[in-house]
Amino acid sequence: MEFFPAIDIFNGNVVRLSQGDYNRVTIYEEDPSVMARAFRDAGASWIHVVDLNGARGEAGVNDEAIRALCETEGIGIEVGGGVRSIERIRELRELGVSRIVLGTKLARDPEFARQAAEQFGEYLVAGVDAKDGIVAVQGWMETDGLTADDLLANLSDMGFRHVVYTDIARDGMQTGIDQATYRHAAEVAGFPVVVSGGVSTLDDIKDIASWGEGIVEGIISGRAIYEGVFTVEEALAACRGEE
């Protein structure tokens, strides 16, 4: 099971938003590549990056920061936020991004998502962000009434084999995980999910690791690391089932 330390970028800075609120921003680092090197040196193989400017329609604002992250040797960079065209996917690939997350376009334009998956295959990851079972898009600022179950059930037919599922209600709140939500998501999708939202203690990670490969592919956590609840080294050990 992979552990993905999270780097959320807003105006070039590493930040965290509380429940996706752009008015509730905490800045942790002004140079994202500094954080990436620290995560790599701690043993992480991947970093999950959210381009918060891109998520609300400001594509390109953080491209230099993303390029710097991708130039960090020895670690894979997964990026989501504002990926709404084939051209943008190509731009991110040219920056060096290893995996690209589709969110808003996945929910609002299934045909585009299907075509993108045909062209880019394993480079693409489905991003399903939901609150109370309803999918949120446009940086979590809008909903269209689409249920998470309906979206998850169609992922395989669209050509996706990886999904990051975010429980918005718990994201960044350090309130722990809702096991039933992620177990259900994996069952509906038909393949393991990457857990995002609410991972706040090492016990959470140990618990998730015990679910088995059929349910969970990986875990994303950000705020708990930045605020010293646990280290990346400790999280990786917990993923391996070590005490």
Side-chain angles (χ1 to χ4, degrees):
M1 186 174 70
E2 293 285 353
F3 180 74
F4 297 75
I7 292 181
D8 292 0
I9 306 178
F10 184 58
N11 294 335
N13 298 313
V14 178
V15 307
R16 293 293 289 170
L17 307 184
S18 292
Q19 294 186 291
D21 188 344
Y22 283 77
N23 294 314
R24 299 165 66 191
V25 179
T26 302
I27 296 176
Y28 290 113
E29 173 59 55
E30 294 182 354
D31 183 351
S33 62
V34 169
M35 198 69 70
R37 289 192 295 271
F39 290 158
R40 176 203 60 195
D41 293 346
S45 299
W46 284 91
I47 294 174
H48 177 79
V49 177
V50 179
D51 178 354
L52 292 172
N53 292 91
R56 63 177 191 177
E58 302 164 0
V61 170
N62 295 312
D63 278 6
E64 287 310 306
I66 292 170
R67 185 190 302 277
L69 289 173
C70 295
E71 290 174 350
T72 304
E73 295 183 0
I75 198 158
I77 303 298
E78 175 181 272
V79 174
V83 184
R84 295 165 194 164
S85 68
I86 295 297
E87 180 183 6
R88 183 59 181 160
I89 295 172
R90 289 179 177 142
E91 288 172 353
L92 289 171
R93 290 289 300 138
E94 289 172 2
L95 291 175
V97 174
S98 301
R99 295 209 310 192
I100 298 165
V101 182
L102 287 187
T104 294
K105 287 290 282 188
L106 177 78
R108 287 185 164 171
D109 192 346
E111 185 55 35
F112 167 84
R114 187 175 290 107
Q115 292 173 2
E118 287 178 358
Q119 290 188 49
F120 296 96
E122 287 291 313
Y123 288 126
L124 295 188
V125 178
V128 178
D129 304 335
K131 185 174 183 179
D132 300 325
I134 302 298
V135 174
V137 295
Q138 294 292 133
W140 299 354
M141 294 184 289
E142 300 176 14
T143 60
D144 295 336
L146 176 67
T147 69
D149 279 10
D150 284 345
L151 184 54
L152 288 164
N154 288 323
L155 292 181
S156 288
D157 287 344
M158 290 182 190
F160 290 86
R161 296 296 179 268
H162 302 282
V163 57
V164 173
Y165 189 96
T166 302
D167 182 355
I168 295 172
R170 294 173 182 255
D171 184 74
M173 300 307 292
Q174 294 187 287
T175 54
I177 55 171
D178 182 351
Q179 297 182 29
T181 294
Y182 294 108
R183 287 178 177 273
H184 179 73
E187 181 179 355
V188 174
F191 53 84
V193 303
V194 174
V195 173
S196 173
V199 177
S200 56
T201 68
L202 283 177
D203 285 340
D204 287 335
I205 296 175
K206 292 174 183 177
D207 186 32
I208 294 169
S210 73
W211 298 352
E213 294 181 358
I215 298 172
V216 59
E217 177 185 358
I219 300 171
I220 295 170
S221 184
R223 181 176 175 182
I225 298 169
Y226 296 121
E227 300 195 352
V229 177
F230 52 75
T231 66
V232 171
E233 291 94 338
E234 289 170 334
L236 289 166
C239 285
R240 294 189 295 265
E242 300 172 2
E243 293 296 332

